[in-house]
Amino acid sequence: MEFFRPATLIDALALKSTHPTALCINGGTDVMVELNFDRKRPETLLDLSAISELSEWSDQGDSILLGAGVPYTRIYQELAKELPGLAMASRTVGSLQIRNKGGVGGNLGSASPAGDAHPPLLASGAAVNVASVNGTRAIDINEFFLGPKKNTMNPDEIITSVLIPKARGGQQYSKIGTRNAMVIAVCSFGIAIDAKNKSVGTGIGSAGPTPLRAHEAESYAATHLDWANGSAVTPEMMKEFGALVAAASRPIDDVRGTAAYRRHSLAVISGRCLKWAWTSTQDMRSK
Ligand SMILES: Cc1cc2nc3c(=O)[nH]c(=O)nc-3n(C[C@H](O)[C@H](O)[C@H](O)COP(=O)(O)OP(=O)(O)OC[C@H]3O[C@@H](n4cnc5c(N)ncnc54)[C@H](O)[C@@H]3O)c2cc1C
């Protein structure tokens, strides 16, 4: 097996161009599992972890530009105010060791329907920046996932960063698992309320072939939230919102849960997330 560890993005892109089948590795928390279980045997590994610009984030005014290799621990330690939904999701990933190494670039690269970063990125309307020797492109997160473990990237491309709008209202993330830590989601849900545009974004995880949006639930919430006075989310609204989220999911029965359980739990957690995120929206307004 050939192993490259470039120190610059330019060198990495040149290597990916000449070795398009090279498997990128950043934190290695997915890749090493694949190698250890002999599920993948790439001829070439392209280690991106020495490229400093991939492990930095910057404030772009209304958005955060998050380097593909910024580990989850730094996301929740440094960006909890700007990106509360992603920070909450990051806290639920694996163990501290996994969160110290793994990051959003690797989560997107794996494109598992259960990836914890995906629902908050969908809810916030993020864009995935990819690069090759031929240039760069920004991929709308809604267009990024093609199927289980499939994304829209070309073989010569590398994810450089993700552009994520800063929170303009309450955000929440909730995940169902068989225990409180070290679990892949049975299902998960992220919500981002945009108090400025009076809109609501959602993301469903682990309940479809790809992470999904719940468009009808978003419209329902946007038209039923009391933007003028901020009155509380009612139990009826939680129930209707939850039912619309469950209806937008496309779960299957598998070892982690049945489709029916996933729909039921999604309805429950999404209703709660709506209520909590609306409460935080009012708290943000009063500050
Ligand atoms: C014990 C354990 C627990 C886990 N728990 C969770 C969990 O709770 N939630 C969760 O979502 N995930 C979990 N994971 C999976 C994993 O930690 C995450 O998917 C993590 O985000 C992967 O990031 P990484 O940098 O380690 O990726 P890597 O393993 O380095 O790469 C993953 C994939 O992305 C590609 N890739 C990496 N970086 C780039 C890039 N810059 N450009 C293009 N492609 C790239 C690689 O080629 C590979 O296909 C767990 C893994 C383990 C081993």
Side-chain angles (χ1 to χ4, degrees):
M1 183 189 287
E2 264 188 307
F3 182 80
F4 295 109
R5 193 166 193 253
T8 66
L9 182 58
I10 288 177
D11 287 348
L13 295 178
L15 283 162
K16 196 73 173 110
S17 168
T18 50
H19 300 73
T21 57
L23 185 66
C24 290
I25 177 165
N26 202 311
T29 59
D30 276 326
V31 169
M32 291 312 297
V33 175
E34 300 281 289
L35 297 188
N36 286 341
F37 283 95
D38 217 13
R39 290 187 204 130
K40 279 190 181 150
R41 200 45 56 191
E43 280 177 15
T44 312
L45 271 183
L46 181 57
D47 181 357
L48 305 174
S49 62
I51 303 170
S52 55
E53 66 192 274
L54 298 188
S55 54
E56 289 160 7
W57 62 265
S58 61
D59 191 325
Q60 304 282 310
D62 287 346
S63 303
I64 296 292
L65 189 66
L66 181 73
V70 175
Y72 292 113
T73 22
R74 284 189 56 202
I75 295 173
Y76 60 79
Q77 283 168 359
E78 299 168 22
L79 292 166
K81 185 162 166 272
E82 293 83 358
L83 309 175
L86 183 62
M88 285 180 211
S90 299
R91 272 189 216 104
T92 75
V93 174
S95 61
L96 186 57
Q97 293 90 335
I98 297 295
R99 296 194 293 270
N100 279 340
K101 294 299 285 179
V104 171
N107 216 223
L108 290 165
S110 292
S112 158
D116 281 307
H118 307 151
L121 295 182
L122 278 168
S124 298
V128 183
N129 294 319
V130 300
S132 73
V133 287
N134 299 315
T136 58
R137 62 184 180 122
I139 307 169
D140 182 331
I141 189 73
N142 293 292
E143 315 291 323
F144 186 79
F145 304 103
L146 297 182
K149 304 201 172 181
K150 287 201 185 94
N151 62 38
T152 185
M153 289 173 64
N154 297 321
D156 64 342
E157 288 178 323
I158 287 175
I159 303 168
T160 53
S161 60
V162 188
L163 187 67
I164 313 165
K166 287 183 190 171
R168 291 199 287 215
Q171 298 189 350
Q172 279 293 332
Y173 181 72
S174 191
K175 169 175 170 180
I176 297 282
T178 43
R179 56 184 182 179
N180 206 21
M182 292 290 290
V183 282
I184 301 176
V186 174
C187 67
S188 62
F189 182 76
I191 185 169
I193 293 178
D194 184 338
K196 196 172 162 204
N197 290 326
K198 300 188 173 55
S199 63
V200 175
T202 59
I204 297 171
S206 218
T210 64
L212 297 165
R213 293 264 301 275
H215 293 286
E216 284 187 31
E218 291 175 5
S219 307
Y220 171 83
T223 48
H224 285 76
L225 288 171
D226 181 4
W227 300 101
N229 304 310
S231 52
V233 168
T234 62
E236 294 70 33
M237 282 169 69
M238 289 169 67
K239 198 170 168 197
E240 182 59 22
F241 181 76
L244 291 170
V245 169
S249 67
R250 288 154 57 201
I252 53 166
D253 294 337
D254 68 13
V255 285
R256 276 180 280 131
T258 62
Y261 177 68
R262 285 184 158 107
R263 277 196 202 92
H264 171 75
S265 49
L266 263 179
V268 173
I269 60 175
S270 61
R272 288 178 188 162
C273 281
L274 175 67
K275 185 181 166 129
W276 294 331
W278 184 243
T279 304
S280 348
T281 305
Q282 303 320 310
D283 292 346
M284 285 163 83
R285 270 185 181 169
S286 62
K287 276 182 191 155

